[in-house]
Amino acid sequence: MSKKLQILAIMPESIGGRLTSSSLFDGFRLLGHDVEVFDTLFEPVDAVKSLVEEKDFDFVASYDYTAIIYKTKLGLKIPSINYFSDVIDDEHSGKYWREYYDFLNEDENYVFYWDRELCEKKKNEIKNLFYMPHFVNTMVYRNLGLRTEYELMFAGRLDSDFRLRTVVTLMKKFKHLRFGWFAHQKHFEQALLRLDSDEEKELLKKNYRGFVDTEEKMSKVINKSKIVFNYNAQGAGSLNYRTYQVMACEKLLLSDYRKEGEELFSPGENFVMFSSFDDLCLKIDYFLNNEEEYKRIVHACREVVEKNHSSKVCAAKMIDCIL
């Protein structure tokens, strides 16, 4: 495909959506396409109409239902590219999903879904539906050679009792290690309120490191960490965005068991999963005390992400599916 495309990229409001969208938009740019970004947080809706009047766009692209909502509300006659990494028929992808779900099946709307099993279930309902696991801009997410500040890191909300108890228990078990937990301030406050023990509250306060809201900041935070452990919250067996961020930075990701970990990677060779809390603890100890094995795994992780899950590679696959 040699045609230079004009793409209207709509940056969504949610933090997770903004990070994922940044990687998508970067992928289009790296392929040589023109990308005009409209930011829903800072620009009025009418600005989209002005952009469309000024330029002859080939596609409008965004995260979850964002592009569909703007296309429908403003009557835009532009094919859309819609990347979903939230459950497509659930409020995770937007509280108005029922209102816009049927529009996904229109001829010029192309939908890319991050979970293979969920994608297969929707094949008969959505015409232009394709499976596309997460991807990252490997020029942003790379080994920056920064000094290690945290032996253990977790990024994300502790919105379930399971996540909260797991993280707090790890903080207690590995008190001798430097721990970094990154989340929105309101999610920190909510987690704090759910703890009864003063000891646990103090641990959470001590290890809370603030909020990360850009790709560049997240890359630096990951680069300052030795091991990042991850629990995938959504999907049937898919891996979330954090997976690829960490692996691209050549830092060790420890993931809860996911089917996609076996389908896309080689467990033990370029991907490490844990089966239980005790197994997670064993793997933390093992990799902190086996530097050569640590280096072998993280180097292999970087290689497979760069080859198969970079923004440029996956944006090209999307365009090939459409054109």
Side-chain angles (χ1 to χ4, degrees), residues 306-322:
E306 198 164 21
K307 180 181 178 182
N308 299 324
H309 304 285
S310 73
S311 293
K312 186 175 181 179
V313 166
C314 292
K317 288 180 181 177
M318 287 185 184
I319 291 171
D320 285 344
C321 287
I322 296 168

Side-chain angles (χ1 to χ4, degrees), residues 82 84 88 101 104-106 109-132 321:
N82 310 277
F84 280 79
I88 211 165
Y101 180 80
L104 296 178
N105 197 38
E106 292 185 349
N109 292 329
Y110 300 89
V111 181
F112 296 87
Y113 209 7
W114 99 112
D115 187 285
R116 186 192 300 275
E117 187 174 328
L118 296 181
C119 186
E120 286 300 316
K121 289 179 179 178
K122 291 295 177 183
K123 282 286 188 183
N124 294 328
E125 294 181 26
I126 301 170
K127 191 176 301 179
N128 298 311
L129 178 65
F130 306 91
Y131 168 58
M132 180 60 66
C321 287

Side-chain angles (χ1 to χ4, degrees), residues 6 36 46-57:
Q6 304 292 322
E36 185 86 36
D46 288 346
V48 176
K49 273 196 169 181
S50 299
L51 281 173
V52 173
E53 289 168 2
E54 291 169 10
K55 267 191 174 181
D56 185 20
F57 288 106

Side-chain angles (χ1 to χ4, degrees), residues 267-320:
E269 294 299 317
N270 54 31
F271 195 72
V272 183
M273 291 185 281
F274 56 87
S275 58
S276 65
F277 179 80
D278 288 342
D279 189 36
L280 171 59
C281 294
L282 286 171
K283 285 184 166 69
I284 289 171
D285 275 329
Y286 176 78
F287 284 105
L288 286 178
N289 291 289
N290 288 272
E291 188 65 18
E292 288 305 310
E293 184 66 1
Y294 176 94
K295 288 179 179 178
R296 184 190 69 78
I297 289 283
V298 298
H299 180 68
C301 287
R302 168 69 189 189
E303 284 189 337
V304 74
V305 171
E306 198 164 21
K307 180 181 178 182
N308 299 324
H309 304 285
S310 73
S311 293
K312 186 175 181 179
V313 166
C314 292
K317 288 180 181 177
M318 287 185 184
I319 291 171
D320 285 344

Side-chain angles (χ1 to χ4, degrees), residues 20 83 85-87 92 114-116 118 131 133-135 153-160 162-164 166-167 228-247 253-262 264-265 271-275 280:
T20 303
Y83 185 77
S85 65
D86 291 307
V87 177
H92 282 98
W114 99 112
D115 187 285
R116 186 192 300 275
L118 296 181
Y131 168 58
H134 272 297
F135 46 85
M153 174 193 155
F154 182 78
R157 64 183 70 179
L158 304 180
D159 50 354
S160 69
F162 172 76
R163 275 192 173 198
L164 180 59
T166 298
V167 169
V228 180
F229 65 95
N230 189 36
Y231 284 94
N232 294 269
Q234 283 198 76
S238 54
L239 297 162
N240 63 18
Y241 192 58
R242 186 82 63 245
T243 303
Y244 301 94
Q245 292 173 311
V246 177
M247 294 173 72
L253 174 87
L254 297 181
S255 172
D256 59 335
Y257 175 78
R258 304 292 279 186
K259 188 177 180 182
E260 205 170 70
E262 295 177 334
L264 301 178
F265 304 102
F271 195 72
V272 183
M273 291 185 281
F274 56 87
S275 58
L280 171 59

Side-chain angles (χ1 to χ4, degrees), residues 207-220:
N207 293 314
Y208 175 62
R209 310 293 179 177
F211 182 46
V212 181
D213 60 353
T214 69
E215 298 275 68
E216 289 74 16
K217 289 178 184 176
M218 181 60 79
S219 179
K220 286 180 181 177

